[in-house]
Each structure stands twice: as structure tokens, then as C-alpha cells.
Amino acid sequence: MVYYAYILRSKVDGRLYKGHASDLEVRLKEHNSGKTRSTKGYIPWELVYYEEFETKAKAIAREKFFKSGFGREYIKSILDKK
């Protein structure tokens, strides 16, 4: 099985959401249908970045990195290139 650490951007105000999932397509649909309380008020969301991992633990660790100070700087540098 493949796991992902991902970053979404709200099309409403540009805020970012970091998470992990085993199925990105299904998870994005959940976010955009209002099933996730923390993202419900900022629909619609777009997938702006993801990384693939062999284990759930590695995906969760990467999500935690994305939420750290260094991780936020890394995300900014990646998204600024796009």
C-alpha cells in the first residue's frame, strides 16, 4: 500500500492544510464535501503538493515536518517555485 503526505490550498483565502492519506483522490473529495471539520469553512480546496511513502508512519512523520517551522519554510520554497 502507498501513503501520502499532502498539502492543500484553500481557493477561498489561500490558507494551507497539511495531512496524510492512503488515497489522495478520496481524501480531497472528503475535504471538499465538508466532511472534515477543520477544512469545512474554507471549501474549495486544491491539491498543491504531495509526497509518496511506503509506510503510514513515514507519511505521518512527513506531515509533522510540514507543520514545523522548518517544514513551513520548505513548503513555501516549493510552492514559490510553482
Side-chain angles (χ1 to χ4, degrees):
M1 186 169 235
V2 177
Y3 296 92
Y4 303 91
Y6 64 88
I7 302 168
L8 305 179
R9 179 185 293 139
S10 170
K11 291 184 179 182
V12 172
D13 66 358
R15 75 179 57 216
L16 299 178
Y17 176 87
K18 299 98 177 170
H20 70 278
S22 58
D23 188 326
L24 279 178
E25 188 175 323
V26 168
R27 189 66 179 127
L28 182 59
K29 286 178 184 177
E30 289 173 353
H31 283 292
N32 281 324
S33 67
K35 291 184 178 181
T36 305
R37 188 171 18 141
S38 60
T39 59
K40 189 175 184 177
Y42 307 98
I43 294 170
W45 292 90
E46 63 180 336
L47 181 66
V48 293
Y49 184 75
Y50 70 91
E51 294 178 5
E52 196 173 294
F53 298 92
E54 294 178 1
T55 67
K56 186 176 181 178
K58 288 181 181 179
I60 290 170
R62 192 62 169 170
E63 174 191 351
K64 287 181 180 180
F65 169 73
F66 288 159
K67 293 176 177 180
S68 73
F70 287 121
R72 285 191 291 273
E73 287 185 29
Y74 173 77
I75 291 165
K76 185 178 183 322
S77 72
I78 294 292
L79 297 182
D80 285 347
K81 292 178 185 176
K82 289 187 173 187

